Amino acid sequence: SSVVVALRGRMAAAADLPTSLGDISLGDGETTPRRGATTPRSMTPLSALSRTLQARPNFQKLRPSANVGFETPEDKKRLMQESKQAEFAFWKVLILTAICSSTLSFVIDKFTFVAGIYRERFTTITNLSGLAGITCQNVVMVLVARLVVRTTMECEGSGFPEMKAMLFGHMLDNYLTLRVLAIKAFGLATLVAAGLPVGKEGPNCHMAACIARNLDPDFVNKRSRSAQGQAQISKLFMAACAVGVGASWST
């Protein structure tokens, strides 16, 4: 019975507590929140996020306009005109490269033919002076070609490794100058005229790229700053290589 009385006393004391778990009376009618207790007005992060998502937006969605940015008729016309100009410049450079490469290949073959005619004169001599004359002519031409090519390091070699590097996007402007073109053409003509087994495919590809680069320098300079422009440059050099190979076989 004493236990029941004690429980009733505690229940009566609990009935005198504030109605809110977070309010504690200070004796003068004011209440203060209990430490660690949450008030009814406080919100959890999830409830705040839920209220934000449920709120109606007070802004209007932007509607696409018919004349925004590059969608204007003037911009479309300008882009189409620039595309046509780039295509025309590409074919112009390619056609001129084919003509110049073919002409240069013809000049080299003609120089080789004339050198062969002068060498043939020594073959009519039956004694050792004829052999000595042929040997001296070939040696002199090889030495002259070597001394001339040595002045420009970019002219050495076949030119295939440099062209492969440029086809993969690595521009080597110092290998595409007019000086390189002239010295490489002279060295190729002299070595072939001397009777050395030098292939013309690599040098002709290199010289065709030099011709394409110098026919329209702005075509390469304007397109070397973007990925799409570099793709067009690689396309031009690839076509120039095909022209050089075709010119090597006089086709």
Side-chain angles (χ1 to χ4, degrees):
S1 59
S2 60
V3 174
V4 174
V5 173
L7 291 175
R8 287 180 178 177
R10 292 182 178 181
M11 291 176 64
D16 296 332
L17 291 176
T19 57
S20 176
L21 294 177
D23 297 335
I24 301 177
S25 176
L26 297 179
D28 55 352
E30 297 180 0
T31 59
T32 181
R34 182 183 299 176
R35 183 178 298 177
T38 58
T39 60
R41 294 181 180 180
S42 62
M43 299 175 58
T44 62
L46 291 178
S47 60
L49 179 61
S50 177
R51 179 174 294 183
T52 302
L53 294 176
Q54 292 177 0
R56 294 182 179 180
N58 55 358
F59 60 88
Q60 297 180 355
K61 294 184 179 180
L62 297 177
R63 297 180 179 179
S65 177
N67 299 324
V68 176
F70 293 101
E71 298 297 331
T72 60
E74 293 78 7
D75 291 335
K76 286 185 177 181
K77 184 178 180 180
R78 178 175 56 84
L79 290 176
M80 292 295 294
Q81 186 176 3
E82 291 179 357
S83 178
K84 291 181 180 180
Q85 291 178 356
E87 193 72 17
F88 176 77
F90 174 82
W91 285 106
K92 180 188 70 174
V93 172
L94 185 57
I95 292 173
L96 292 177
T97 300
I99 296 174
C100 295
S101 296
S102 302
T103 304
L104 183 60
S105 179
F106 174 78
V107 171
I108 293 174
D109 292 340
K110 192 67 176 179
F111 180 83
T112 304
F113 178 75
V114 173
I117 291 176
Y118 280 100
R119 188 189 301 109
E120 187 181 1
R121 295 179 180 180
F122 294 101
T123 60
T124 58
I125 303 175
T126 57
N127 53 13
L128 294 177
S129 60
L131 179 61
I134 295 175
T135 304
C136 290
Q137 180 181 353
N138 293 340
V139 170
V140 169
M141 296 180 71
V142 170
L143 289 177
V144 171
R146 177 54 184 166
L147 292 176
V148 172
V149 172
R150 193 173 182 180
T151 59
T152 306
M153 183 189 65
E154 291 81 3
C155 299
E156 298 181 356
S158 65
F160 267 138
E162 291 80 9
M163 291 307 304
K164 288 173 64 177
M166 284 185 277
L167 288 178
F168 282 100
H170 300 281
M171 283 299 301
L172 303 173
D173 289 330
N174 55 329
Y175 283 86
L176 301 175
T177 60
L178 291 175
R179 178 186 177 91
V180 173
L181 173 63
I183 294 179
K184 193 143 195 171
F186 177 80
L188 177 63
T190 310
L191 290 178
V192 174
L196 295 183
V198 179
K200 297 191 299 181
E201 294 82 5
N204 278 337
C205 291
H206 190 185
M207 290 187 296
C210 292
I211 294 172
R213 174 68 174 84
N214 291 278
L215 281 177
D216 192 358
D218 293 337
F219 182 86
V220 178
N221 295 334
K222 292 180 180 179
R223 289 163 178 79
S224 60
R225 303 174 184 176
S226 62
Q228 185 177 2
Q230 290 179 358
Q232 295 179 0
I233 295 173
S234 298
K235 182 181 177 180
L236 176 63
F237 285 162
M238 190 176 299
C241 290
V243 168
V245 173
S248 301
W249 302 100
S250 300
T251 56

